[in-house]
Amino acid sequence: QVQLVESGGGLVQAGGSLRLSCAASGRTFSNYAMGWFRQAPGKEREFVTAIDSSGGRFDYSTSVKGRFTISRDNAKNTMYLQMNNLKPEDTAVYYCAATGRRSDYTRLSGYDYWGQGTQVTVSS
């Protein structure tokens, strides 16, 4: 089925920036809503942000609003997460997800396809 591959994670100092990418397989990328989730050790996977298939609707968690920006380039089958002013509490494995369904894009159950994740570590 659809394959998603995240990249761009790494170790950064608090206040720094990273840009994550999620490359998707398939020829119908433009029909999928996309989301980013993150999971810290011992914690549940949580919603970060999402973008609909047209790129016209956005959702952000309260904890990242104003610091993170989601975008997509359908011609490249790629979604991005620009992360600025990173904080130690942002440390987690970040996952991209996709769905062709009309669903609640803020919930895990709203997605059908998941990447393997990329580690983001923010030091103080």
Side-chain angles (χ1 to χ4, degrees):
Q1 295 182 353
V2 174
Q3 291 185 318
L4 305 173
V5 180
E6 303 95 336
S7 62
L11 174 64
V12 298
Q13 192 174 37
S17 298
L18 284 174
R19 189 176 80 157
L20 306 184
S21 298
C22 175
S25 66
R27 298 181 178 89
T28 58
F29 176 79
S30 62
N31 295 329
Y32 285 79
M34 306 288 294
W36 288 98
F37 291 76
R38 66 187 183 185
Q39 187 168 23
K43 297 184 178 180
E44 296 182 348
R45 192 171 300 185
E46 66 175 359
F47 171 76
V48 177
T49 181
I51 187 169
D52 69 4
S53 59
S54 70
R57 175 179 288 181
F58 309 90
D59 290 296
Y60 292 93
S61 69
T62 301
S63 62
V64 307
K65 190 174 181 63
R67 299 187 298 120
F68 291 9
T69 302
I70 189 171
S71 63
R72 65 190 297 160
D73 187 339
N74 288 346
K76 297 181 178 179
N77 282 6
T78 303
M79 175 181 64
Y80 305 96
L81 181 65
Q82 179 65 48
M83 305 185 294
N84 297 326
N85 192 24
L86 284 161
K87 303 176 180 180
E89 52 263 43
D90 295 319
T91 295
V93 176
Y94 283 71
Y95 298 88
C96 66
T99 181
R101 296 180 284 123
R102 292 180 175 87
S103 60
D104 185 347
Y105 302 143
T106 70
R107 303 179 69 178
L108 292 170
S109 61
Y111 295 86
D112 302 305
Y113 308 104
W114 294 85
Q116 293 300 305
T118 185
Q119 177 71 49
V120 172
T121 302
V122 184
S123 62
S124 60

